Amino acid sequence: MHRCCHGLVKSGVRSQKSEWVARAAILALVAAIAVFLQSPGTSLRAQSANEQTITVDTKAAATDFPHVWEQMFGSGRAILALRDSYRNDLRSVQGITGFHFIRFHGIFDDEVGVYDPGNDGKPRYNFSYVDQIYDGLLANGIQPFVEISFMPKLLAANPVPHPFWYKPYPSPPKDPNQWADLISAFTRHLIDRYGAEETEKWYFEVWNEPNIDFWNGEPKKDTYFAFYKLTANAIRKVDPRLKVGGPATAQAAWVKDFIEYCMRSGAPFDFVSTHIYGNEDPVNVFGTATPIPRKDMVARAVRKVHDEVAASAAPKTPILISEYNATYSTQTEVTDSAFMGPWLANNIAECDGLTSMMSYWAFSDVFEEQGVVRKPFYGGYGLVAERGIPKPAYRAFELLHDLGDKRMANASNDALVTKRRSGTIVLALWNYAEPGERGAQKVFRLDLKGSVAKSYEIQVVDPAHGSAVRAWTAMGEPASPTQAQISDLIKASQIAPPARHAIGDPIRLDPQGLAVITIR
């Protein structure tokens, strides 16, 4: 270390030595104080930005904390539900979340074979694949969240396919009456096959993201609203108790206008639905270029929708976020990585109380919007990679499922404190760091009040635990892993059983780490 001696008193060696001794004493005192302040149990301990004490008053009031993030999942298009791999992943994700509803595009796509206009001009309907798709869901304890999409080609007014690999038709019908007849026949068939009591538990959502390129009617909003009314009326005419809604928009759009249109026109609606992703352009969502972090984008958009509904003529309307994720792009460093654990936990905390249900897009990488999957890890949206390999996001959902159904207040932005019906306290703690960001380790300590608990159990998902993508990279990133490699990747994705610690032991989380702690 360079020391500058300008300004020293020139009084000989003795005076210089005295000054050095005095400075050494001061430095030693400062070091001793620092050691004291960092000692566990020291009440005066100063905490850095990366050290937190989470105070848990076990007797404090708690609010309802429904698990809205794990009631529904999105998935690839309808026909994929006939595959064994799809159903295997479905059972796997249901096993860790207990989810109830699944949503997918394309129940009227030509590959499902529903619509045949007939040479005589009298349409014929074939619900064979529809039955197999929905039967398979129900057999696994999952109910359909019925997305009414897309248009059969021979009924499309603008038969220009969407760029997706499977080429759906985002078109209004060329004959509104034939479309209404198709929807009526479809709805009646569901009632006849599954019964009104069952089908009335489902949701019927009209279309998908009509505000962007999934709807080519012009002008978009006016033609979609008219189409919504036509479709919703056809559904409710079969059974007035069926739940129908929309506008199923991207970017949290049109909700205010949708409610106003329905109230003005008499179109029925039982819920509003919309979509939002963490990397949206704020101009498209809020009309402003002010940057919004990926960490907060979803919650801020949901808050916007919540406030719009609250200020509307139908303020009690349920809000369903029927698609959300940290990104709408395929980014390995996001959806395939441990980043998703802290992102999910933070999003759950921020969205609490704002929505009735949120549908993570998607539960599985049995998914073909960009074509047939070419390798296990490519930034797919699913919780489960190709060949049934769980991703860190899967493990995050698995851990977060253990949270209680009551939430207790705490001052930290990196913690969720919950209570189960049994009274057991369960916390989620996280160390959020963006992909590529060099973060620091965080240290948490628990301060219990009103409890004699002596220990806690902890499980962690981070880049080194519960992450198969690291093992895949170490293998050389094989595009077609062998069966032995697949087995190794599944093993690498597993998280260790809960580890028990004394209540005073610090909890250390590396960047992109998520921990769930149960106080015993």
Side-chain angles (χ1 to χ4, degrees), residues 349-362:
E350 291 188 350
C351 290
D352 181 26
L354 301 179
T355 174
S356 299
M357 194 154 56
M358 300 185 73
S359 179
Y360 182 86
W361 187 263

Side-chain angles (χ1 to χ4, degrees), residues 180-260:
D181 289 345
L182 168 60
I183 296 303
S184 295
F186 170 74
T187 307
R188 193 174 301 109
H189 176 79
L190 298 179
I191 297 288
D192 290 344
R193 184 173 183 83
Y194 303 109
E197 183 178 359
E198 168 63 31
T199 313
E200 287 166 9
K201 298 174 184 175
W202 304 1
Y203 293 83
F204 291 77
E205 181 187 45
V206 179
W207 216 251
N208 174 72
E209 299 186 348
N211 60 316
I212 57 173
D213 60 346
F214 292 100
W215 179 255
N216 61 24
E218 291 294 342
K220 281 184 179 291
K221 188 184 295 183
D222 291 344
T223 56
Y224 169 75
F225 283 175
F227 175 78
Y228 173 85
K229 182 178 180 180
L230 173 72
T231 307
N233 281 336
I235 292 169
R236 291 286 284 271
K237 187 175 181 180
V238 175
D239 184 343
R241 292 180 295 275
L242 293 176
K243 295 190 285 284
V244 62
T249 41
Q251 302 161 346
W254 292 6
V255 170
K256 178 177 178 287
D257 292 346
F258 174 77
I259 293 176
E260 290 177 354

Side-chain angles (χ1 to χ4, degrees), residues 269-288:
F269 70 106
D270 300 287
F271 61 89
V272 295
S273 64
T274 191
H275 307 161
I276 187 67
Y277 288 82
N279 62 332
E280 298 281 7
D281 185 336
V283 173
N284 295 330
V285 182
F286 298 100
T288 175

Side-chain angles (χ1 to χ4, degrees), residues 215-451:
W215 179 255
N216 61 24
E218 291 294 342
K220 281 184 179 291
K221 188 184 295 183
D222 291 344
T223 56
Y224 169 75
F225 283 175
F227 175 78
Y228 173 85
K229 182 178 180 180
L230 173 72
T231 307
N233 281 336
I235 292 169
R236 291 286 284 271
K237 187 175 181 180
V238 175
D239 184 343
R241 292 180 295 275
L242 293 176
K243 295 190 285 284
V244 62
T249 41
Q251 302 161 346
W254 292 6
V255 170
K256 178 177 178 287
D257 292 346
F258 174 77
I259 293 176
E260 290 177 354
Y261 169 81
C262 290
M263 298 297 289
R264 183 175 66 250
S265 70
F269 70 106
D270 300 287
F271 61 89
V272 295
S273 64
T274 191
H275 307 161
I276 187 67
Y277 288 82
N279 62 332
E280 298 281 7
D281 185 336
V283 173
N284 295 330
V285 182
F286 298 100
T288 175
T290 303
I292 297 176
R294 186 199 307 269
K295 179 166 69 83
D296 302 319
M297 172 60 81
V298 169
R300 290 194 192 181
V302 174
R303 168 66 71 181
K304 176 194 122 175
V305 173
H306 175 273
D307 292 348
E308 288 175 345
V309 172
S312 76
K316 302 297 184 183
T317 304
I319 299 167
L320 308 182
I321 307 302
S322 53
E323 284 187 29
Y324 81 101
N325 201 318
T327 179
Y328 57 76
S329 309
T330 50
Q331 297 174 274
T332 302
E333 68 275 18
V334 177
T335 49
D336 291 343
S337 78
F339 163 80
M340 290 304 298
W343 186 88
L344 282 164
N346 181 76
N347 191 68
I348 288 166
E350 291 188 350
C351 290
D352 181 26
L354 301 179
T355 174
S356 299
M357 194 154 56
M358 300 185 73
S359 179
Y360 182 86
W361 187 263
F363 85 90
S364 170
D365 277 355
V366 179
F367 194 90
E368 295 174 348
E369 288 181 357
Q370 293 84 33
V372 177
V373 174
R374 293 176 173 82
K375 56 185 179 180
F377 297 102
Y378 66 99
Y381 305 115
L383 298 181
V384 185
E386 185 190 30
R387 305 302 183 95
I389 303 166
K391 301 182 186 181
Y394 176 101
R395 298 304 179 192
F397 269 95
E398 183 177 14
L399 292 187
L400 294 167
H401 179 71
D402 289 339
L403 293 174
D405 58 5
K406 295 286 185 180
R407 183 177 181 181
M408 307 170 73
N410 80 92
S412 174
N413 292 324
D414 306 309
L416 257 172
V417 182
T418 70
K419 181 187 289 187
R420 295 179 185 159
R421 292 176 184 174
S422 64
T424 300
I425 303 296
V426 185
L427 300 87
L429 304 175
W430 56 90
N431 184 351
Y432 186 93
E434 281 286 327
E437 179 183 346
R438 290 185 61 129
Q441 187 183 75
K442 287 189 176 181
V443 180
F444 299 88
R445 289 176 172 83
L446 302 179
D447 177 21
L448 289 187
K449 299 184 183 302
S451 172

Side-chain angles (χ1 to χ4, degrees), residues 150 160-170 212-215 369:
F150 284 105
V160 178
H162 187 275
F164 276 172
W165 181 76
Y166 61 91
K167 300 297 186 289
Y169 291 91
I212 57 173
D213 60 346
F214 292 100
W215 179 255
E369 288 181 357

